Coordinates of all heavy atoms in Angstrom, one line a residue:
M115 N 142.9 90.8 115.9 CA 143.1 89.5 115.2 C 143.3 89.7 113.8 O 142.7 90.6 113.1 CB 141.8 88.7 115.5 CG 141.7 87.5 114.6 SD 140.7 86.2 115.3 CE 141.0 84.9 114.1
K116 N 144.2 88.9 113.2 CA 144.6 89.0 111.8 C 143.9 88.0 111.0 O 143.6 86.9 111.5 CB 146.1 88.8 111.6 CG 146.9 89.9 112.3 CD 147.1 91.1 111.4 CE 148.0 92.1 112.1 NZ 147.5 93.5 111.9
C117 N 143.6 88.3 109.7 CA 143.0 87.4 108.8 C 143.9 86.2 108.6 O 145.1 86.3 108.3 CB 142.7 88.1 107.5 SG 142.0 87.0 106.2
L118 N 143.3 85.0 108.6 CA 144.1 83.7 108.4 C 144.5 83.6 106.9 O 145.4 82.9 106.6 CB 143.2 82.5 108.8 CG 142.8 82.5 110.2 CD1 141.8 81.3 110.5 CD2 143.9 82.4 111.2
I119 N 143.7 84.2 106.0 CA 144.0 84.1 104.6 C 145.1 85.1 104.1 O 146.1 84.7 103.5 CB 142.7 84.3 103.7 CG1 141.5 83.5 104.3 CG2 143.0 84.1 102.3 CD1 141.6 82.0 104.0
C120 N 144.8 86.4 104.4 CA 145.7 87.4 103.8 C 146.4 88.2 104.9 O 147.1 89.2 104.5 CB 144.9 88.3 102.9 SG 143.8 89.4 103.8
K121 N 146.2 87.9 106.2 CA 146.8 88.6 107.3 C 146.3 90.1 107.4 O 147.0 90.9 108.0 CB 148.4 88.6 107.2 CG 149.0 87.3 106.9 CD 149.2 86.5 108.2 CE 149.9 85.2 108.0 NZ 149.0 84.0 108.2
G122 N 145.2 90.4 106.7 CA 144.6 91.7 106.8 C 144.0 91.9 108.2 O 143.9 91.0 109.0
E123 N 143.6 93.2 108.4 CA 142.9 93.5 109.7 C 141.5 93.0 109.7 O 140.7 93.2 108.7 CB 142.9 95.1 109.8 CG 142.7 95.6 111.1 CD 143.8 95.4 112.1 OE1 145.0 95.4 111.6 OE2 143.5 95.2 113.3
M124 N 141.0 92.4 110.8 CA 139.7 91.9 110.9 C 138.9 92.9 111.8 O 139.4 93.5 112.7 CB 139.6 90.6 111.7 CG 140.5 89.5 111.1 SD 139.9 88.8 109.5 CE 138.5 87.8 110.0
E125 N 137.6 93.2 111.4 CA 136.8 94.1 112.2 C 135.5 93.4 112.6 O 135.0 92.5 111.8 CB 136.5 95.4 111.5 CG 135.8 95.3 110.2 CD 135.5 96.6 109.5 OE1 135.5 97.7 110.2 OE2 135.2 96.7 108.3
E126 N 135.0 93.7 113.8 CA 133.8 93.1 114.2 C 132.6 93.8 113.5 O 132.5 95.0 113.5 CB 133.6 93.3 115.7 CG 134.5 92.4 116.5 CD 134.3 92.5 118.0 OE1 133.1 92.6 118.5 OE2 135.3 92.5 118.7
K127 N 131.7 93.0 113.0 CA 130.6 93.5 112.3 C 129.4 92.7 112.5 O 129.5 91.5 112.9 CB 130.8 93.4 110.7 CG 131.6 94.6 110.1 CD 131.6 94.4 108.6 CE 132.1 95.7 107.9 NZ 132.0 95.5 106.5
L128 N 128.2 93.3 112.3 CA 127.0 92.5 112.3 C 126.6 92.3 110.9 O 126.4 93.2 110.1 CB 125.8 93.2 113.1 CG 126.1 93.4 114.6 CD1 124.9 94.2 115.2 CD2 126.1 92.1 115.3
I129 N 126.5 91.0 110.5 CA 126.3 90.7 109.1 C 125.0 89.9 108.9 O 124.4 89.5 109.8 CB 127.5 89.9 108.5 CG1 127.6 88.5 109.1 CG2 128.8 90.6 108.6 CD1 128.4 87.5 108.3
T130 N 124.6 89.8 107.6 CA 123.4 89.0 107.2 C 124.0 87.7 106.7 O 124.9 87.7 105.8 CB 122.6 89.7 106.2 OG1 122.1 91.0 106.8 CG2 121.4 88.9 105.8
Y131 N 123.5 86.6 107.2 CA 124.0 85.3 106.8 C 122.9 84.4 106.4 O 121.9 84.3 107.0 CB 124.8 84.7 108.0 CG 125.6 83.5 107.7 CD1 126.8 83.6 106.9 CD2 125.2 82.3 108.1 CE1 127.6 82.5 106.7 CE2 126.0 81.1 107.8 CZ 127.2 81.3 107.1 OH 127.9 80.2 106.8
D132 N 123.1 83.7 105.2 CA 122.0 82.8 104.7 C 122.4 81.3 105.1 O 123.5 80.9 104.9 CB 122.0 82.8 103.2 CG 121.7 84.2 102.7 OD1 121.3 85.1 103.4 OD2 122.0 84.5 101.5
V133 N 121.4 80.6 105.5 CA 121.5 79.2 105.7 C 120.3 78.5 105.0 O 119.3 79.1 104.9 CB 121.6 78.7 107.2 CG1 122.9 79.1 107.8 CG2 120.4 79.2 108.0
R134 N 120.5 77.3 104.6 CA 119.5 76.5 104.0 C 119.1 75.4 104.9 O 119.9 74.7 105.4 CB 119.9 75.9 102.7 CG 119.2 76.5 101.5 CD 119.8 76.0 100.2 NE 119.8 77.1 99.3 CZ 118.7 77.5 98.6 NH1 117.5 76.8 98.8 NH2 118.7 78.5 97.8
V135 N 117.8 75.3 105.3 CA 117.2 74.2 106.1 C 116.4 73.4 105.1 O 115.4 73.8 104.7 CB 116.4 74.7 107.2 CG1 115.9 73.6 108.1 CG2 117.1 75.8 108.0
E136 N 117.0 72.2 104.7 CA 116.5 71.4 103.6 C 116.3 72.3 102.4 O 117.2 72.9 101.9 CB 115.2 70.7 104.1 CG 115.6 69.6 105.0 CD 114.4 69.0 105.8 OE1 113.3 69.3 105.5 OE2 114.7 68.2 106.7
D137 N 115.0 72.6 101.9 CA 114.9 73.4 100.8 C 114.5 74.9 101.1 O 114.3 75.7 100.3 CB 113.8 72.8 99.8 CG 114.1 73.2 98.4 OD1 115.3 73.5 98.1 OD2 113.2 73.2 97.6
Q138 N 114.5 75.2 102.4 CA 114.1 76.4 102.9 C 115.3 77.3 103.2 O 116.2 77.0 103.9 CB 113.3 76.2 104.2 CG 112.8 77.5 104.9 CD 111.7 78.1 104.1 OE1 110.6 77.5 103.8 NE2 111.8 79.4 103.7
L139 N 115.3 78.5 102.5 CA 116.4 79.4 102.8 C 116.0 80.3 104.0 O 114.9 80.7 104.1 CB 116.5 80.4 101.5 CG 117.5 81.5 101.7 CD1 119.0 80.9 101.7 CD2 117.4 82.4 100.5
M140 N 116.9 80.4 104.9 CA 116.7 81.2 106.1 C 117.8 82.3 106.1 O 118.9 82.1 105.8 CB 116.7 80.4 107.4 CG 115.5 79.5 107.5 SD 115.5 78.5 109.0 CE 114.8 79.7 110.1
I141 N 117.3 83.5 106.5 CA 118.2 84.7 106.5 C 118.4 85.1 108.0 O 117.5 85.3 108.7 CB 117.7 85.8 105.7 CG1 117.5 85.4 104.2 CG2 118.5 87.1 105.8 CD1 116.6 86.3 103.4
L142 N 119.7 85.0 108.4 CA 120.0 85.4 109.8 C 120.5 86.8 109.7 O 121.4 87.2 109.0 CB 121.1 84.5 110.3 CG 120.9 83.0 110.2 CD1 122.0 82.3 110.9 CD2 119.6 82.6 110.7
K143 N 119.8 87.7 110.5 CA 120.2 89.1 110.5 C 121.0 89.4 111.7 O 120.8 88.8 112.8 CB 118.9 90.0 110.5 CG 118.2 90.0 109.2 CD 116.9 90.8 109.2 CE 117.2 92.3 109.2 NZ 115.9 93.0 109.2
N144 N 121.9 90.4 111.6 CA 122.7 90.9 112.7 C 123.5 89.8 113.4 O 123.5 89.6 114.6 CB 121.8 91.6 113.7 CG 121.2 92.8 113.1 OD1 121.8 93.6 112.3 ND2 119.9 93.1 113.4
V145 N 124.2 89.0 112.6 CA 125.0 87.9 113.1 C 126.4 88.5 113.4 O 127.0 89.1 112.5 CB 125.2 86.8 112.1 CG1 126.1 85.7 112.7 CG2 123.8 86.2 111.7
P146 N 126.9 88.4 114.7 CA 128.2 89.0 115.0 C 129.3 88.2 114.3 O 129.3 87.0 114.4 CB 128.3 88.9 116.5 CG 127.3 87.8 116.9 CD 126.3 87.8 115.9
A147 N 130.2 88.9 113.6 CA 131.2 88.2 112.8 C 132.5 89.1 112.8 O 132.4 90.3 113.0 CB 130.8 87.9 111.4
L148 N 133.6 88.4 112.6 CA 134.8 89.1 112.3 C 135.0 89.1 110.8 O 135.0 88.0 110.2 CB 136.0 88.5 112.9 CG 136.2 88.7 114.4 CD1 137.2 87.8 115.0 CD2 136.6 90.2 114.7
V149 N 135.1 90.3 110.1 CA 135.2 90.3 108.7 C 136.5 91.0 108.3 O 136.9 92.1 108.8 CB 134.0 91.1 108.1 CG1 134.1 91.2 106.6 CG2 132.7 90.5 108.5
C150 N 137.3 90.4 107.4 CA 138.5 90.9 106.9 C 138.3 92.2 106.1 O 137.5 92.1 105.1 CB 139.3 89.9 106.1 SG 140.8 90.5 105.4
K151 N 139.0 93.2 106.4 CA 138.8 94.5 105.6 C 139.4 94.3 104.2 O 139.0 95.1 103.3 CB 139.6 95.6 106.3 CG 138.9 96.1 107.6 CD 139.6 97.3 108.2 CE 139.0 97.8 109.4 NZ 139.8 98.8 110.1
Q152 N 140.4 93.4 104.0 CA 141.0 93.3 102.7 C 140.3 92.3 101.8 O 140.0 92.6 100.7 CB 142.5 92.8 102.9 CG 143.4 93.9 103.4 CD 144.8 93.5 103.1 OE1 145.4 93.7 102.1 NE2 145.5 93.0 104.2
C153 N 140.0 91.1 102.3 CA 139.6 90.0 101.4 C 138.1 89.6 101.7 O 137.5 88.8 101.0 CB 140.5 88.8 101.4 SG 140.3 87.8 102.9
G154 N 137.6 90.1 102.8 CA 136.2 89.8 103.1 C 136.0 88.4 103.8 O 134.8 88.0 104.0
E155 N 137.0 87.8 104.1 CA 136.9 86.5 104.9 C 136.1 86.7 106.2 O 136.3 87.7 106.8 CB 138.4 86.0 105.2 CG 138.4 84.8 106.1 CD 138.0 83.5 105.4 OE1 137.7 83.5 104.2 OE2 138.0 82.5 106.2
T156 N 135.2 85.8 106.4 CA 134.3 86.0 107.6 C 134.6 84.9 108.6 O 134.7 83.7 108.2 CB 132.9 86.0 107.1 OG1 132.7 87.0 106.2 CG2 131.9 86.2 108.3
L157 N 134.7 85.3 109.9 CA 134.9 84.3 110.9 C 133.8 84.5 112.0 O 133.4 85.6 112.3 CB 136.3 84.5 111.6 CG 137.5 84.1 110.8 CD1 138.8 84.5 111.7 CD2 137.6 82.7 110.4
F158 N 133.4 83.3 112.5 CA 132.4 83.4 113.6 C 133.0 82.8 114.9 O 133.9 81.9 114.8 CB 131.2 82.5 113.3 CG 130.4 83.0 112.0 CD1 130.4 82.2 110.9 CD2 129.8 84.3 112.0 CE1 129.7 82.7 109.8 CE2 129.1 84.7 110.9 CZ 129.1 83.9 109.8
T159 N 132.6 83.2 116.0 CA 133.0 82.6 117.3 C 132.3 81.2 117.4 O 131.3 81.0 116.8 CB 132.6 83.5 118.5 OG1 131.2 83.5 118.6 CG2 133.2 84.9 118.4
P160 N 132.9 80.3 118.2 CA 132.3 79.0 118.3 C 130.9 79.1 118.9 O 130.0 78.3 118.4 CB 133.2 78.3 119.4 CG 134.5 79.0 119.2 CD 134.2 80.4 118.9
E161 N 130.6 80.1 119.7 CA 129.2 80.3 120.2 C 128.3 80.6 119.1 O 127.1 80.1 119.0 CB 129.2 81.4 121.3 CG 127.9 81.6 122.0 CD 127.9 82.9 122.8 OE1 128.4 83.9 122.4 OE2 127.3 82.8 123.9
T162 N 128.7 81.5 118.2 CA 127.9 81.9 117.0 C 127.7 80.7 116.1 O 126.6 80.5 115.6 CB 128.5 83.1 116.3 OG1 128.7 84.2 117.2 CG2 127.7 83.5 115.1
V163 N 128.7 79.9 115.9 CA 128.6 78.8 115.0 C 127.6 77.8 115.6 O 126.7 77.3 114.9 CB 130.0 78.0 114.9 CG1 129.8 76.7 114.2 CG2 131.0 78.9 114.1
D164 N 127.6 77.6 116.9 CA 126.6 76.7 117.6 C 125.2 77.2 117.3 O 124.3 76.4 117.0 CB 126.8 76.7 119.1 CG 128.0 75.8 119.5 OD1 128.5 75.1 118.6 OD2 128.4 75.9 120.6
K165 N 125.0 78.5 117.4 CA 123.7 79.1 117.1 C 123.3 78.9 115.7 O 122.1 78.6 115.4 CB 123.7 80.6 117.4 CG 123.7 80.9 118.9 CD 123.6 82.4 119.2 CE 123.7 82.7 120.6 NZ 123.6 84.2 120.8
I166 N 124.2 79.1 114.7 CA 123.9 78.9 113.3 C 123.5 77.5 113.1 O 122.6 77.2 112.3 CB 125.1 79.4 112.4 CG1 125.3 80.9 112.5 CG2 124.9 79.0 111.0 CD1 126.6 81.4 111.9
I167 N 124.2 76.5 113.7 CA 123.9 75.1 113.5 C 122.5 74.8 114.1 O 121.7 74.1 113.4 CB 125.0 74.2 114.2 CG1 126.3 74.3 113.4 CG2 124.5 72.8 114.3 CD1 127.5 73.7 114.1
A168 N 122.1 75.4 115.2 CA 120.8 75.2 115.8 C 119.7 75.7 114.8 O 118.7 75.1 114.6 CB 120.7 76.0 117.1
V169 N 120.0 76.9 114.1 CA 119.0 77.4 113.1 C 119.0 76.4 111.9 O 117.9 76.0 111.5 CB 119.5 78.8 112.6 CG1 118.6 79.2 111.5 CG2 119.4 79.8 113.8
A170 N 120.2 75.9 111.5 CA 120.2 75.0 110.3 C 119.5 73.7 110.6 O 119.0 73.1 109.7 CB 121.7 74.8 109.9
K171 N 119.4 73.3 111.8 CA 118.7 72.1 112.2 C 117.2 72.3 112.4 O 116.5 71.4 112.7 CB 119.3 71.5 113.5 CG 120.7 70.8 113.3 CD 121.2 70.3 114.6 CE 122.5 69.5 114.4 NZ 123.2 69.2 115.7
G172 N 116.8 73.5 112.1 CA 115.4 73.8 112.2 C 114.9 74.0 113.6 O 113.7 73.9 113.9
K173 N 115.8 74.2 114.6 CA 115.4 74.3 116.0 C 114.9 75.7 116.4 O 114.5 75.9 117.5 CB 116.6 73.9 116.9 CG 116.9 72.4 116.8 CD 118.1 72.1 117.7 CE 118.3 70.6 117.8 NZ 119.6 70.3 118.5
V174 N 115.1 76.7 115.5 CA 114.7 78.0 115.9 C 113.6 78.5 115.1 O 113.5 78.4 113.9 CB 116.0 79.0 115.7 CG1 115.7 80.4 116.1 CG2 117.2 78.4 116.5
E175 N 112.6 79.1 115.8 CA 111.4 79.7 115.2 C 111.8 81.0 114.5 O 112.4 81.9 115.2 CB 110.4 79.9 116.3 CG 108.9 79.7 116.0 CD 108.6 78.6 115.0 OE1 108.9 77.4 115.3 OE2 107.9 78.9 114.0
P176 N 111.5 81.3 113.3 CA 111.9 82.6 112.6 C 111.1 83.7 113.3 O 110.0 83.6 113.7 CB 111.4 82.4 111.2 CG 111.2 80.9 111.0 CD 110.9 80.4 112.3
T177 N 111.8 84.9 113.3 CA 111.2 86.1 113.8 C 110.1 86.6 112.9 O 109.0 87.1 113.3 CB 112.3 87.2 114.0 OG1 113.4 86.6 114.5 CG2 111.8 88.3 114.9
T178 N 110.4 86.5 111.6 CA 109.5 87.0 110.6 C 109.8 86.3 109.3 O 110.8 85.6 109.2 CB 109.6 88.6 110.4 OG1 108.7 89.0 109.4 CG2 111.0 89.0 109.9
S179 N 109.0 86.5 108.2 CA 109.3 85.8 107.0 C 109.3 86.8 105.8 O 108.6 87.8 105.9 CB 108.2 84.8 106.6 OG 108.3 83.7 107.5
L180 N 110.1 86.5 104.8 CA 110.1 87.3 103.6 C 109.7 86.5 102.5 O 110.0 85.3 102.5 CB 111.6 87.8 103.3 CG 112.2 88.8 104.2 CD1 113.7 88.9 103.8 CD2 111.6 90.1 104.2
R181 N 109.0 87.0 101.5 CA 108.8 86.3 100.3 C 109.9 86.5 99.3 O 110.3 87.7 99.1 CB 107.4 86.7 99.6 CG 106.2 86.2 100.5 CD 105.0 86.2 99.6 NE 104.8 87.5 99.0 CZ 104.1 87.7 97.9 NH1 103.5 86.6 97.3 NH2 103.9 88.9 97.4
V182 N 110.5 85.5 98.8 CA 111.7 85.6 98.0 C 111.3 85.2 96.6 O 110.9 84.1 96.3 CB 112.8 84.8 98.5 CG1 114.0 84.9 97.5 CG2 113.2 85.1 99.9
P183 N 111.4 86.2 95.6 CA 111.1 85.8 94.2 C 112.1 84.8 93.7 O 113.3 84.9 94.0 CB 111.3 87.2 93.4 CG 111.3 88.2 94.5 CD 111.9 87.6 95.7
V184 N 111.6 83.8 92.9 CA 112.4 82.8 92.3 C 112.3 83.0 90.8 O 111.2 83.0 90.2 CB 112.0 81.4 92.7 CG1 112.8 80.3 92.0 CG2 112.1 81.3 94.2
V185 N 113.4 83.0 90.1 CA 113.4 83.2 88.6 C 114.0 82.0 88.0 O 115.1 81.5 88.3 CB 114.2 84.5 88.2 CG1 114.3 84.6 86.7 CG2 113.6 85.7 88.8
E186 N 113.2 81.4 87.0 CA 113.7 80.3 86.2 C 114.5 81.0 85.1 O 114.0 81.7 84.2 CB 112.5 79.5 85.6 CG 113.0 78.4 84.7 CD 113.9 77.4 85.3 OE1 113.5 76.8 86.3 OE2 115.0 77.2 84.9
F187 N 115.8 80.8 85.1 CA 116.7 81.7 84.3 C 116.6 81.4 82.8 O 116.7 82.4 82.0 CB 118.2 81.5 84.8 CG 119.1 82.6 84.4 CD1 119.0 83.8 85.1 CD2 120.0 82.5 83.4 CE1 119.8 84.9 84.7 CE2 120.8 83.5 83.0 CZ 120.7 84.7 83.7
G188 N 116.2 80.2 82.4 CA 116.0 79.9 81.0 C 114.9 80.7 80.4 O 114.8 80.8 79.2
K189 N 114.0 81.2 81.2 CA 112.8 82.0 80.7 C 113.1 83.5 80.6 O 112.2 84.2 80.2 CB 111.6 81.7 81.6 CG 111.1 80.3 81.5 CD 109.9 80.0 82.3 CE 109.4 78.6 82.2 NZ 108.3 78.3 83.1
V190 N 114.3 83.9 81.1 CA 114.6 85.3 81.1 C 114.8 85.8 79.6 O 115.6 85.2 78.9 CB 115.8 85.6 82.0 CG1 116.2 87.1 81.9 CG2 115.5 85.2 83.4
K191 N 114.1 86.9 79.2 CA 114.4 87.5 77.9 C 114.7 88.9 78.2 O 114.1 89.6 79.0 CB 113.1 87.4 77.1 CG 112.8 86.0 76.6 CD 111.7 86.1 75.5 CE 111.4 84.7 74.9 NZ 110.6 83.9 75.8
V192 N 115.7 89.4 77.4 CA 116.0 90.9 77.5 C 115.7 91.5 76.2 O 116.0 90.9 75.1 CB 117.5 91.1 77.9 CG1 117.7 90.8 79.4 CG2 118.5 90.3 77.1
A193 N 115.2 92.7 76.2 CA 114.8 93.4 75.0 C 116.0 93.9 74.2 O 117.0 94.2 74.7 CB 113.9 94.6 75.4
Ligands
ZN449 ZN1 141.8 88.6 104.5

């Protein structure tokens, strides 16, 4: 399959994909996707999209949790 954007070669990969459920960031690991070798355009199969939507609707229980540091950028000082 060719990339719709640049007509480059697409390869099947397992990627990490972020979705937000209201204010909660969720990280989906090992999501099957087609990724363009040239421009990085990512495509999902309709089945995968359905699964991502189920997660985004909060229907899926997370496997594990990570604590994610949050930085208020205005407070950042560099020496
Ligand atoms: Zn492309």
Side-chain angles (χ1 to χ4, degrees):
M115 165 152 190
K116 297 276 182 217
C117 175
L118 300 173
I119 311 287
C120 73
K121 312 274 184 247
E123 199 70 35
M124 306 289 284
E125 61 179 341
E126 283 183 46
K127 275 187 166 180
L128 293 175
I129 65 163
T130 301
Y131 190 74
D132 303 343
V133 288
R134 250 173 213 281
V135 184
E136 289 166 11
D137 210 23
Q138 178 72 56
L139 178 67
M140 291 180 83
I141 299 166
L142 310 184
K143 287 176 75 177
N144 297 321
V145 180
L148 282 169
V149 181
C150 175
K151 286 181 182 174
Q152 284 197 85
C153 74
E155 172 72 3
T156 303
L157 291 177
F158 299 115
T159 63
E161 187 191 40
T162 300
V163 171
D164 285 347
K165 287 185 183 177
I166 293 172
I167 290 169
V169 173
K171 286 180 175 169
K173 288 181 175 170
V174 179
E175 215 37 58
T177 319
T178 183
S179 290
L180 291 175
R181 289 201 305 156
V182 179
V184 178
V185 174
E186 178 58 61
F187 202 72
K189 293 181 178 171
V190 175
K191 289 191 176 77
V192 286

